[in-house]
Amino acid sequence: MVHWPGDPEFHLNRVRDYANGDDLVLSHIDLGVHTGTHMDAPLHFIRGGATIDEIPLDATVGRARVIEIDDPESVKLAELEAANIRPGERILLKTANSSGRWKSAEFQEDFVYISHEAAAFLASIPIRAVGVDYLSVGGFYKDGPETHRALLGAGIWVIEGLNLAALTAGDYELICLPLKLMGAEGAPARAIARTSTIGVAA
Ligand SMILES: [Zn+2]
């Protein structure tokens, strides 16, 4: 699967298998913790920051809002300012990434990212969590560390690698839980969004 250049590749190997005469299947995986849909903890870019096992479960479980971003280059201040974002919101940013970039097995260097200015704006509100639809909140060429530091330094929990293709703008119930890797700066996560059948959760 596609991964950030220089990060470890994902491997899943069967160490025991029926095909080898074993009477069960047993697999081994190795991967970077920033593989596929995953979360970043503050420690990723903040010295002494919280680790992924310290995430409060309600950071990424509860009501979330999908905001559709038109800008084909980056998430900029103007589009966020128009969205009337309130403190404590969980925000998922659906960009042009969702409609095409996941189809390629090659890493897409020109993915839509959150500009440093827009990240600082989200940090000033501040929101509870932000999710993006490619492998990093920051850009490949620009605003990588800056955007991470602005968000993570404000205590905003970061979800990366979402596929938001099936969602339109509006409110959903988000359930995103990272693996509890003790002391790690990030972890793979399974994330789903649904139109709630039990009323929109807080
Ligand atoms: Zn990451």
Side-chain angles (χ1 to χ4, degrees):
M1 65 191 298
V2 62
H3 62 89
W4 191 266
D7 275 17
E9 285 185 17
F10 175 84
H11 294 285
L12 183 150
N13 300 308
R14 290 187 176 181
V15 294
R16 298 180 70 178
D17 197 349
Y18 304 121
N20 299 330
D22 299 317
D23 56 3
L24 75 165
V25 169
L26 191 72
S27 297
H28 170 98
I29 56 173
D30 66 274
L31 71 166
V33 300
H34 302 266
T35 298
T37 305
H38 70 277
M39 290 196 62
D40 287 358
L43 181 66
H44 189 31
F45 274 90
I46 307 290
R47 264 175 228 271
T51 51
I52 199 65
D53 52 293
E54 297 180 293
I55 185 173
L57 296 183
D58 66 359
T60 49
V61 175
R63 182 204 296 239
R65 177 154 63 114
V66 172
I67 296 173
E68 292 193 35
I69 298 294
D70 292 328
D71 194 304
E73 181 197 41
S74 65
V75 180
K76 298 193 175 81
L77 194 55
E79 281 195 272
L80 289 187
E81 281 182 333
N84 188 28
I85 299 169
R86 299 175 301 277
E89 277 199 271
R90 304 175 191 89
I91 298 293
L92 307 177
L93 297 169
K94 181 182 180 183
T95 74
N97 296 335
S98 278
S99 60
R101 288 193 173 81
W102 286 120
K103 296 190 179 103
S104 174
E106 297 292 316
F107 180 79
Q108 304 289 296
E109 296 182 355
D110 62 347
F111 66 88
V112 185
Y113 62 94
I114 304 176
S115 70
H116 179 216
E117 190 182 34
F121 174 71
L122 294 173
S124 74
I125 296 176
I127 60 170
R128 186 90 160 109
V130 66
V132 292
D133 54 1
Y134 205 63
L135 287 170
S136 177
V137 284
F140 184 74
Y141 299 110
K142 195 164 177 269
D143 292 350
E146 296 85 353
T147 286
H148 275 91
R149 285 194 190 102
L151 297 170
L152 297 170
I156 298 169
W157 291 88
V158 168
I159 312 167
E160 297 172 326
L162 291 167
N163 183 345
L164 300 175
L167 305 188
T168 54
D171 286 337
Y172 295 85
E173 182 185 10
L174 172 70
I175 300 170
C176 175
L177 294 170
L179 292 180
K180 193 171 183 178
L181 302 178
M182 305 302 284
E185 86 293 353
R190 190 73 202 264
I192 64 168
R194 61 181 179 180
T195 50
S196 181
T197 53
I198 53 168
V200 177

